[in-house]
Amino acid sequence: MTPRLLRTAVATALALGALGLTQPARATSSDGVHTVRVPDGDPHERALAPRTSAPFSLIGITWDDPDAVLEGTAQVRTRSRESGAWSAWSPLETDVHTPEAGPDRDRPGVRGGTQPLWTGPSDGFQVRVSGSRLPAGLRVELVDPEAGSGAVHTAVVEPDEVAPDVAGPAAGPLAAGRPAVTSRSAWGADESLVKDPPTYTGNTKAMFVHHTAGTNAYTCSQSASIVRGVFLYHVKSNGWNDIGYHFLVDKCGTVFEGRAGGIDKPVLGAHTYGFNTATSSVSVLGDYSTAVAGAAVRESVAKVAAWKLGLYGIDPAGTVVLTAGADNGKYKQGQKVTLHRISGHRDGYPTACPGQNLYNALPKIRTLAANAGLQAEPAPASADPWAEDEGVLAR
């Protein structure tokens, strides 16, 4: 290094130090995901000081052992790329688990991790993690869903082609109309990242409802970017073959196609540890521990569930006995469990997901789903998805 470059490097480091910022150490980047290792050390507390970073809009934390649990808390704060302001500290949900079976578990490089948090365009972050037992190999995942992507538009998914070795179900007596769904190509899925073909299971017997957690402070024009960010996090950060959810719904009621393989096929997902086989899933973008599920959300979740279960002649307001596929902290492997056909994630796994407010809306969603075939028109969308219910808390 020349004396001039050395002086410049020293001056830059001093200036960043004066601002309380440091450059990311041991950072790597690939396909829109920039990673930063959290140094090992204290077994109960680890942190990264405020620092600049590559652009990102979604952040999470992963660790080496996919079966390890982060018994504690993980918090992040981020710096807006637009205003330069730092956010308040936000907790990351740690109740995520690698699927109990299938290619998403067996793939090399599968990692444990938190739920990701949508931050909007950001260029700086700070992390603190604490608990009684912290897993090894903590890594910050910075996801830029716009990296390398072309223009994204919205479109209604076309009828799927039936795979030659997978027969689609015949419409049952309770079949509901197929909802409008934004296709993977429309929200910008990079199909080159999905290395293995989808895995198919037996008939879909139940639908699990989730929320993505994180923030409610997004516009519905950002929803495709959020879905793309979740896809990149699941594939590049968690090491899964594809996005874990079968469907996603934003607060305006727009439905997005999730995992590939055919929305009318029994595709094995990665959504409810212990109950991924013979079930489907829909995840609502946002944190429904703080926000109320408005009419647009309730209607769309109900339509997806009614249509998907109706393909098999299933009453969405009924119940089903499922067998736990793993010891998951709530049920023992092999235990027979009676669940609603439309259940919350917390019904099958020890978690707060899908948030108390969305969970409280499930009885209404079951009723809407049971009557889906009788509804001629969808409920009108509100200009403000949160305005239909009082006492909404959004952050």
Side-chain angles (χ1 to χ4, degrees):
M1 180 179 291
T2 66
R4 181 178 180 182
L5 288 176
L6 178 60
R7 287 195 299 273
T8 301
V10 171
T12 301
L14 290 173
L16 289 169
L19 292 172
L21 301 173
T22 59
Q23 290 293 333
R26 292 183 288 170
T28 59
S29 180
S30 174
D31 297 317
V33 180
H34 191 82
T35 65
V36 182
R37 278 282 184 179
V38 179
D40 293 329
D42 190 319
H44 306 298
E45 292 189 22
R46 295 176 203 161
L48 287 175
R51 60 189 59 220
T52 57
S53 70
F56 68 95
S57 294
L58 183 141
I59 187 171
I61 296 175
T62 63
W63 47 87
D64 292 343
D65 184 356
D67 291 319
V69 177
L70 197 162
E71 296 180 353
T73 61
Q75 295 179 304
V76 297
R77 59 192 293 256
T78 59
R79 186 178 62 189
S80 169
R81 201 157 78 233
E82 298 171 350
S83 68
W86 284 87
S87 71
W89 285 101
S90 296
L92 300 177
E93 290 200 4
T94 60
D95 51 6
V96 184
H97 206 295
T98 301
E100 69 275 13
D104 296 296
R105 181 175 185 83
D106 301 329
R107 290 166 56 85
V110 175
R111 298 173 60 80
T114 69
Q115 287 280 18
L117 171 74
W118 177 259
T119 64
S122 305
D123 61 6
F125 70 95
Q126 183 178 2
V127 169
R128 60 190 186 194
V129 186
S130 62
S132 59
R133 184 178 67 180
L134 298 181
L138 292 178
R139 194 174 78 184
V140 180
E141 309 283 341
L142 307 172
V143 181
D144 181 6
E146 308 311 321
S149 65
V152 176
H153 61 282
T154 57
V156 175
V157 69
E158 296 298 327
D160 303 293
E161 294 182 2
V162 178
D165 57 344
V166 180
L174 298 172
R178 178 173 177 158
V181 179
T182 301
S183 69
R184 289 170 62 92
S185 62
W187 58 255
D190 183 352
E191 303 295 1
S192 70
L193 299 179
V194 181
K195 303 302 183 183
D196 297 321
T199 300
Y200 295 94
T201 72
N203 290 355
T204 299
K205 298 178 180 179
M207 174 77 68
F208 281 101
V209 179
H210 303 252
H211 71 172
T212 59
T215 182
N216 305 312
Y218 67 89
T219 64
C220 290
S221 63
Q222 294 176 307
S223 297
S225 290
I226 297 174
V227 173
R228 201 160 54 250
V230 174
F231 165 77
L232 287 172
Y233 186 83
H234 283 179
V235 174
K236 302 299 295 183
S237 301
N238 290 130
W240 299 349
N241 187 51
D242 197 352
I243 192 169
Y245 307 118
H246 296 88
F247 302 91
L248 300 98
V249 172
D250 71 10
K251 62 187 179 183
C252 293
T254 303
V255 181
F256 295 85
E257 178 185 13
R259 177 158 288 214
I263 60 174
D264 60 346
K265 310 297 188 303
V267 178
L268 178 67
H271 55 90
T272 305
Y273 181 62
F275 295 96
N276 285 301
T277 300
T279 64
S280 189
S281 58
V282 55
S283 188
V284 184
L285 306 183
D287 181 357
Y288 286 87
S289 299
T290 58
V292 172
V297 167
R298 297 191 299 266
E299 289 279 356
S300 290
V301 172
K303 287 179 180 179
V304 168
W307 172 72
K308 185 71 176 181
L309 295 173
L311 293 173
Y312 303 92
I314 291 172
D315 178 3
T319 60
V320 63
V321 176
L322 299 179
T323 302
D327 295 344
N328 66 6
K330 189 177 180 75
Y331 302 110
K332 296 293 185 181
Q333 184 174 7
Q335 184 175 348
K336 302 291 185 181
V337 182
T338 300
L339 296 170
H340 290 285
R341 294 286 190 173
I342 302 176
S343 284
H345 185 190
R346 66 172 64 179
D347 292 321
Y349 183 77
T351 173
C353 181
Q356 191 62 48
N357 294 323
L358 183 52
Y359 190 76
N360 290 345
L362 290 182
K364 175 65 173 177
I365 288 171
R366 294 182 194 112
T367 299
L368 290 171
N371 295 328
L374 305 177
Q375 296 176 1
E377 298 180 358
S382 169
D384 179 358
W386 306 128
E388 300 177 50
D389 300 272
E390 296 181 357
V392 173
L393 300 174
R395 59 185 176 95

